[in-house]
Amino acid sequence: MSITLPPGVEVFERGWLSANNILLHGRSPEEGAVLIDTGYVTHAPQTVALVDAALLDEERLRLIVNTHLHSDHCGGNSALVERHGCGVQIPPGDFSAVRTWDEARLSYQATGQQCPRFQANAVICPGEQLRHGELAWQVHAAPGHDPHSILLFEPSTRTLISADALWERGFGIIFPELDGEAAFDEVEQTLDLIQSLRPAVVIPGHGAVFSDVQQALAIAKQKLEHFRRDPARHARHGAKALTVFHLLEVQQQPRSELLDWLVRTPVLMSSWQRFFADGPSLHAWSKGLVDELVENGVLTAETLPSGAASIKVAKATT
Ligand SMILES: [Zn+2]
């Protein structure tokens, strides 16, 4: 079934390492274009090329808006600003951390991910509107996956840009919960907000654009209840998702190096400490995670001539 997007809206569906990018054209090339989210740094050249190919003659990229500042949503900011000299608007909760480039507050240190430094010149606040082209997008707070995330809703076409608050089959890791901060209720409130907006079309942060929003909300609520009943299960799910993300970044890694990465990545260390420290050691727990991902076919292990194993993400998962 083909889904109609609002006039002037183009979606670059990426994958899991890079979030989707949404290009909003203006009414005329002179108005310029706005890009929502910019992907992961290692894909930045591809992001720049996708934007270049989509811009019309005489059209320039005037603004980047980030739904939130996870590395897979703003890793192309720096390259795009360098190329287009565009502005960058971000949610207000991260503004001071960006100004001083505080990588601890910005999650890159904790997750062992990279994001090149960029400057933001304005905030985009819940309650405001992003007016561009024919469309006026409402800005809503969407805490849960990330405390500062926003989502964008265009009421005349009932189109929602949901970032990682709602995917077709779930939502992003609930990061505050990994740090011991309660956020299951925030996820629920954000899902209730989405339900109340009654979107007809959802442009998610990852995966294809979809229109069966009731089904997506039902799946998300079921997953949330499952995690809420057993927060350790959520922590294990988060650790596996971060491991797969890391392997998508490095592409392939000897098993011993991968285990070294797991045991020194702060968010994984703290998850283990919080939820699993009365069981196997951090190293054994990490090894168990990788073994399980290999057994389930998410990762594949290849034996090198040296006898060592090299791990990568199975094709079907990317
Ligand atoms: Zn995210």
Side-chain angles (χ1 to χ4, degrees):
M1 188 184 69
S2 79
I3 293 176
T4 310
L5 291 170
V9 175
E10 268 189 80
V11 177
F12 308 147
E13 188 186 330
R14 308 296 294 273
W16 290 99
L17 184 61
S18 279
N20 294 337
N21 322 127
I22 302 110
L23 191 69
L24 312 177
H25 293 284
R27 268 165 295 216
S28 66
E30 293 73 43
E31 193 181 339
V34 175
L35 187 70
I36 318 289
D37 289 342
T38 65
Y40 195 67
V41 58
T42 51
H43 288 166
Q46 194 185 13
T47 307
V48 168
L50 284 166
V51 171
D52 278 358
L55 289 174
L56 309 170
D57 287 345
E58 311 295 319
E59 190 178 36
R60 66 189 181 88
L61 183 66
R62 74 167 178 88
L63 179 67
I64 291 167
V65 172
N66 294 120
T67 57
H68 63 301
L69 296 189
H70 286 157
S71 62
D72 53 332
H73 290 255
C74 59
N77 281 18
S78 164
L80 286 161
V81 168
E82 190 173 320
R83 177 153 179 82
H84 295 281
C86 52
V88 177
Q89 287 189 5
I90 62 171
D94 286 317
F95 194 73
S96 67
V98 165
R99 193 155 44 192
T100 56
W101 204 250
D102 183 341
E103 293 220 357
R105 277 177 63 202
L106 289 170
S107 84
Y108 313 133
Q109 227 164 50
T111 54
Q113 297 169 3
Q114 318 172 50
C115 183
R117 184 169 185 167
F118 63 87
Q119 290 187 342
N121 52 335
V123 291
I124 179 160
C125 296
E128 292 178 355
Q129 282 190 335
L130 172 67
R131 288 178 167 277
H132 189 70
E134 311 279 333
L135 305 171
W137 299 83
Q138 300 170 351
V139 182
H140 294 273
H145 163 70
D146 176 88
H148 307 303
S149 186
I150 56 166
L151 48 78
L152 298 166
F153 179 65
E154 203 292 305
S156 75
T157 57
R158 290 173 44 216
T159 303
L160 177 73
I161 295 174
S162 65
D164 294 341
L166 181 68
W167 301 334
E168 193 168 13
R169 303 194 63 79
F171 45 77
I173 301 167
I174 308 166
F175 278 97
E177 286 282 341
L178 302 182
D179 281 335
E181 283 169 46
F184 291 134
D185 288 353
E186 282 79 356
V187 172
E188 184 171 21
Q189 284 156 16
T190 295
L191 294 174
D192 287 345
L193 165 72
I194 293 173
Q195 187 137 36
S196 73
L197 294 171
R198 296 190 306 113
V201 172
V202 175
I203 305 171
H206 301 269
V209 173
F210 61 89
S211 59
D212 193 345
V213 185
Q214 286 313 316
Q215 180 179 280
L217 282 167
I219 292 170
K221 287 187 176 184
Q222 199 176 21
K223 287 201 172 176
L224 174 63
E225 280 322 304
H226 185 70
F227 289 150
R228 187 147 41 190
R229 274 200 300 274
D230 186 358
R233 188 184 285 268
H234 169 258
R236 201 170 163 80
H237 158 80
K240 287 198 255 182
L242 285 160
T243 303
V244 171
F245 186 90
H246 168 72
L247 281 167
L248 287 173
E249 178 188 353
V250 299
Q251 300 190 346
Q252 179 150 350
Q253 198 163 39
R255 184 193 290 267
S256 57
E257 278 180 33
L258 174 62
L259 290 175
D260 283 348
W261 179 84
L262 272 131
V263 300
R264 65 181 154 74
T265 295
V267 69
L268 298 176
M269 286 161 65
S270 61
S271 281
W272 173 79
Q273 190 76 48
R274 193 170 308 282
F275 295 101
F276 307 103
D278 54 355
S281 68
L282 174 58
H283 191 272
W285 175 74
S286 303
K287 191 173 169 304
L289 280 180
V290 173
D291 289 347
E292 192 181 317
L293 286 165
V294 171
E295 273 161 31
N296 295 342
V298 176
L299 303 181
T300 54
E302 185 188 321
T303 307
L304 301 173
S306 65
S310 182
I311 311 285
K312 63 181 175 185
V313 178
K315 264 225 149 33
T317 314
T318 60

